[in-house]
Each structure stands twice: as structure tokens, then as C-alpha cells.
Amino acid sequence: MNDFNDFNNPQVAKLPRHLQQFIVEQRYERYTPVDQAVWRYVMRQNYSYLKHVAYYPYIKGLQRAGLSIEHIPDLQTMNDNLGKIGWGAVTVDGFIPPAAFMEYQAYRVLVIAADIRQINHIEYTPAPDIIHESAGHAPIIADTDYNNYLSYFGSIGAKAMFSSKDFELYEAIRHLSILKEAPDAPAQEIARAEKQLELISENMGEPSEMALLGRLHWWTVEYGLIGTLENPKIYGAGLLSSIGESSSCMKPEVEKLWYNMDTVNYAYDITKPQPQLFVTETFQNLIDVLEAFADTMAFRRGGSEGIVKAIECKNPATAVYSSGLQVTGIFTDMGLDQQDELTFLRTSGPSALAYEGRQLEGHGKFYHKDGFSSPVGKLKGIDRAIEDMDILMLINCGIRPNHIAVLEFESGITVKGLVTIIHQHKDGRTFMITLEDCTVKESNGNILFQPDWGVYDMAVGQKIVSVFNGAADKDAYEEPTHVSDKQTHKIVYDEKTAKLHQIYKQVRSIREKELGFEELPALFDALKKNHRDDWLSALEILEILHHRGLYPELEKEIRVYLELKSSAEPEHTKLINDGLHVIENPVLQLITEED
């Protein structure tokens, strides 16, 4: 993205190129008057109910994040406000890959879906939307303990290894969520997408690190409760942005369990209400559980276990030698000794070498275009690892420039060739040796490298200390991070819908400007005659009449109209009744009480 807009926000400005590729413009002008009414309805319902069950003062949190009950948030305003607490925000198109989502969190940037749910999904949407992302996640960002957990989770999650099946699952979930949020998607196509998701879900095999971390993320960041089992409060964004589930989740039939390491064993279904929820006593407990899980991950354990995960991933991953050298590529092979310790590793296709996250000059994926392989371990009969040898010890082992070296490893692998360069860090530690006319073979005679393959860059390191997802230097490697080719639907509105939008726009204008009340009877008449499916605009007209004490007969007529709709249309019963409740118990009054 050449025209990258950082919104004058320091956190957004720090985003690397491989994350910038997911960002889309918010296009605020695309939000229709109905969209704005949906935002306002959900936010007023949220506040009316969440005042009693949310963990933190909801309105204060909204204000600190640059959000209001009245209008869909503008990204610049959000960034101006979030910047004051060390966070930022960007808009994306629906679901993005989990690894990228995590990395945004690590950079302390909220990822916000630019779209907003349709009115027929007002209680819950299967797709990410601006209500969920901003009204759910943003208000609690002001809590220091929580936002530290969120960014720390991101830094751990960005390193998590995923399986090749995880991306299949991601694409299936994204595809289904887009279909369900599209107004014209055929039922047959939705059913086919549901079947495909079910098929993939049932054949995932052992869950990957990313899948397990996804569970911890779901049961905390999205659906977390805090406090006691008997009287928990909501802090999870999925609950805070779902006016249906934020209410139903508190019922006794939704089991409440303590949040601990065992939570990782509970899978979730993104399309259904959750059968159980997890309660943490403190946000510190979330960090403690995350720490315990991180200790099981390849980026901390390394070794053969980590390389196995990298091979299964079938996507670029990085292995870190104990010398600090980082090898990025698609891992395809490894050698093991009798103790299951690594003896060598191999990548295929474009590979790169780096140190401390910076690609080494001349060792990018075009130079190592056919892959990379190297031994792992110590030299036979020598206690000290090569990376820890000083110059004198290297010479004693036959390692010096312009001399033939014969290096026999404990594993039985032998490297023989002309040493041309000994690569060392500033602290004197050796991390790579370049040889020409080089042969590398195992004790059984199996050839790992031969002279006509070119120059041999031998990685130095007694062991692999870390294995993590993606490239060490993502921008230099230009990692082909997967941007889905399935875009969310952009709706084109017919003439009748455009007229309904105009009614919504006029009602909002009358309410905000406190002018034109005499137009309300005609607007309701147009609703009755031409838009019988609509219920929300009628509620908004009733709200104005009730609070202003205008046209009592019309107020009564609209109230009867809505009550009849409520009883005749089960899908609208709760929505209408909740709307009537908020009219009788105004949000502004509740805000004043909180303040």
C-alpha cells in the first residue's frame, strides 16, 4: 500500500508492510441511514443492559476510545483517542488470517471490520463488523491490565505454528460468514458452505498451536467473564457486542467454569451461542495461563518437536539456531539421532537467513531460491559448541579462511570444503561458515550437499532453540501472507430501499436538529404503506414523539402498530420490546446516573 494512512497515530505508523496489505479504507460515506440506525439501536440496547453486567463503565470506555452511542465511529476520531492510551485502529475487509490478526494486537492496533451488520442480523452477526470490533473491543482497551494482556497475547499468537488445515478452516469460515451477511445469498449456497465448514471442522486432526491459542483467545478476549462463578461480569467483546447473547449468557443454563489451562481443551463453534463460559478472577490470571501455554509452544521449545510442526505447516516458518542464526523457509526434512535430537534440517524453495529479525545481506530468498540445509549439533570429541569458540579454538579445529576444513559432527555428518568466510556477530560468536567445493554427507554415505550445487553456507548452532510461524524478517522476505480473494459483499440498493433510507435520514435529522417535527406523521404513513417489513424507523419516530410529548394520537397509533408487529412477527418480538423498553428508560438518563 503506497498511500498508507497512519492517521497520525504512532502505533499505526509502526505497522510493517506485510500487515499494511490487509488494511482497507473505511469509506464512511458508504454507511447508509439504516446502518447508522442499527449502530444507534445496538449501542442503546447495549448500554441499557450492559450497565448492570459489563465489567467496566461502558460509556466512559466508549468515550475514551472515541466512540459514541449516536454515530458509527470515524476511524480518525478513534485513532486520535486511542493514541492517548498507546493504541491505534485500522479497518479491514472481514476475517483476516489469525496470525496477522494476532500480530496487529502485538503492535497495539485494533483490527476493525469496515462493514456493519444488516438489520436482519442486528442481534448477532456471523461476520466481523464495526459494532463487534469497536463497540466490543475498544471500550475496555483503556484498562491497562487488560490491554497489556491483549498485546502480549498478540506477540505470542504471532509466533504460533498453524497446521495446513488451519487455512482451509479459515477460508471456509470466512466464506460462510460473507454468505450469511449477504442479502441475496441463495439458501442452497449457504447450506453448501455450512456443509463444507462442517466437513473441514470434523477432519482437523490434532489441533495446532494456533488452533489451541484461538480457543484461549475466544474464551477470554471474545467471550470472557471476570469475577466470581456466581456473579461474573462481561469483558469479552463477542458478548459485549451481541445484544442477544450478552443477555442469554447470564442464564443458569449457560455453565460458568473457572478459566485455567484446562480451557484449552474446549473447542468452540463461531456460528452458535456458547454452551459454557469461563470466568477469571483477575486479568493477571489470563497472563499466567497464557505464559503456561506459551511454555509448550515451539517458539520456546525449539528442537525436533518444533521442526515437526514446521514441516506439517507447509508454509514459511523460521528455525532459530543457538548461535542466533534464523533460517526461514518451508521446512521439508530433518535428521534425528537415536535420542531424537536434531542432526540436520532442510527447507525447500525460497529461503532466507536472518539475525535478530533482520535479513542478512546477500542471503534472501532469491539467493537461497532452491532451499537451505545444514547440520545441527557439536563437533565430535569437542565439548564446546562451534558458536562459542574463539578464533584460536576455531583454528585448532581446522576452521580458518582459505584452508580446507573437515568437520565431523557427533551425529556422524561430515562437512568437507574450503572455508571462505567465518561469519561472526559483534560479540565474537560464530553463526555461519561459508565453504566452497564442499561435500556434506551422513555416516551412511547419504549425500546432503555436493560441490556442483554451488557455495555452501553452513549454519552454526548446537541446537534449534526456537521455531515460529512466518519469516524472521517478513518485509524483506516479502512473505506471501494470504489475503483472501473472497471479498465481503458490497450491496447495491434498489429504488424502494433508497426511499426507506431517506425516511431514516429525515427521522435522524429531525431528532438531532430538533426541527421538522410536523413531517413525522407523513413519514410514518410512508412506512406503513410502503415498508411493512421495517420496525426500527417506527421505533425511532415513536421515541421522538414520546420524549417530546407530540401528536399523542400518532404516538398511540405507532405503539399499537409495533405491538401488533411484535406479536405477529416472532423474529422481531424481542427487538421491538427491547426498543420500547429503552424508550421508556432513556439511555441519556442512564448515562447521567453512571456519571
Side-chain angles (χ1 to χ4, degrees), residues 573-588:
T573 303
K574 184 176 185 300
L575 294 167
I576 291 170
N577 291 345
D578 287 351
L580 292 170
H581 174 78
V582 171
I583 289 172
E584 299 297 333
N585 302 274
V587 170
L588 284 174

Side-chain angles (χ1 to χ4, degrees), residues 38-183:
V38 164
W39 170 274
R40 183 173 183 268
Y41 176 89
V42 172
M43 296 303 288
R44 289 165 79 241
Q45 290 299 328
N46 272 354
Y47 186 65
S48 176
Y49 176 66
L50 293 175
K51 182 180 194 302
H52 307 290
V53 295
Y55 167 65
Y56 54 91
Y58 194 66
I59 289 297
K60 287 191 177 78
L62 288 176
Q63 289 167 344
R64 288 195 70 179
L67 304 173
S68 82
I69 280 181
E70 291 296 318
H71 298 275
I72 295 171
D74 162 66
L75 211 55
Q76 184 62 62
T77 306
M78 282 192 74
N79 273 294
D80 291 344
N81 284 271
L82 288 170
K84 294 170 188 170
I85 50 177
W87 279 72
V90 295
T91 40
V92 298
D93 186 52
F95 281 111
I96 64 171
F101 183 86
M102 295 288 184
E103 205 174 349
Y104 275 107
Q105 275 185 206
Y107 277 93
R108 293 181 172 255
V109 173
L110 276 182
V111 178
I112 296 173
D115 291 334
I116 187 166
R117 66 194 63 180
Q118 295 174 72
I119 192 166
N120 57 326
H121 290 154
I122 197 166
E123 283 197 281
Y124 172 80
T125 172
D129 80 330
I130 196 162
I131 293 178
H132 168 76
E133 307 292 353
S134 53
H137 288 290
I140 196 172
I141 288 289
D143 186 295
T144 305
D145 288 343
Y146 180 75
N147 75 45
N148 284 339
Y149 167 69
L150 203 58
S151 61
Y152 187 50
F153 199 113
S155 66
I156 301 290
K159 295 181 176 75
M161 298 300 300
F162 55 81
S163 73
S164 49
K165 297 236 174 198
D166 286 338
F167 257 125
E168 286 181 49
L169 184 69
Y170 156 71
E171 277 293 355
I173 289 172
R174 179 179 164 86
H175 179 55
L176 178 59
S177 72
I178 289 170
L179 282 177
K180 283 192 166 184
E181 197 58 23

